[in-house]
Amino acid sequence: MFFLIYDLLLLLGGIAMVAIGIAIKEQGTGARILNVVVGLAFFAYGFYLMFLFEGGSYRIFIYVFILPILLIVRAVKARKEAREQAAAHQFAGAPQSGQLPPSAPGQPAQGWPAPQGQPAPYGQTPQAPYGQAPQGQYGQPPQQPGHPAPQQPYGQPQGQYGQPQQQGYPNA
């Protein structure tokens, strides 16, 4: 009974390794050749034991139980890695995790709009939510290209939030 199981494992392991070596092209050439050669050797020895062997002594190789599993697992891993690399190349234009430039704490990364209610980072224009027209800084209308900037009322320079700037030091 053990002889028959051993012989079947030789035949099936050899066929599986040859099939994996031929079918999975994502492996390196050396690994594919190794799969095919070892698979043919296993199959040939199993064929000899099954059909040509007439009795006497024969060798039992522990590799019959281990090597086919190792080579098949290695081939499947190579195929999985090749698929992951192909998927990564498809999304090469999109930024991957860890590739965004660092931003200041509390500020969105470059290329991302500021959260609603937050001022835009230095050097970026504020983004309007979908369906709304963009507004200028602090509720002022946006400056249109080709139009002069609006004059401040009464010729006074404006401070923050439209309040006139204070002249000199405040009274204490």
Side-chain angles (χ1 to χ4, degrees):
M1 180 69 175
F2 178 77
F3 178 77
L4 183 62
I5 292 172
Y6 178 70
D7 197 26
L8 288 175
L9 284 175
L10 276 170
L11 291 171
L12 292 176
I15 291 170
M17 285 191 290
V18 169
I20 293 289
I22 292 172
I24 298 183
K25 302 194 183 326
E26 289 86 1
Q27 300 181 83
T29 306
R32 291 181 67 197
I33 291 172
L34 178 69
N35 271 345
V36 171
V37 169
V38 171
L40 287 174
F42 275 28
F43 183 79
Y45 188 58
F47 183 83
Y48 167 75
L49 288 177
M50 179 74 81
F51 299 109
L52 303 174
F53 184 68
E54 294 184 7
S57 65
Y58 61 94
R59 294 192 157 256
I60 296 176
F61 297 103
I62 191 75
Y63 300 116
V64 171
F65 306 108
I66 298 171
L67 195 60
I69 294 170
L70 291 177
L71 292 178
I72 289 170
V73 166
R74 192 166 124 208
V76 170
K77 281 185 181 180
R79 185 176 210 171
K80 181 181 175 187
E81 289 174 4
R83 285 185 179 175
E84 288 174 355
Q85 287 178 354
H89 289 306
Q90 281 182 337
F91 299 108
Q96 302 294 323
S97 63
Q99 290 183 349
L100 293 175
S103 59
Q107 295 293 327
Q110 184 177 0
W112 293 91
Q116 191 171 5
Q118 296 290 323
Y122 180 76
Q124 291 185 5
T125 58
Q127 300 288 329
Y130 290 110
Q132 294 182 7
Q135 293 187 358
Q137 194 89 10
Y138 307 117
Q140 299 294 325
Q143 184 177 353
Q144 300 294 326
H147 291 79
Q151 295 293 325
Q152 302 297 334
Y154 310 112
Q156 294 179 350
Q158 294 291 316
Q160 195 170 14
Y161 303 111
Q163 301 296 323
Q165 283 184 329
Q166 293 180 350
Q167 302 293 329
Y169 294 105
N171 294 335

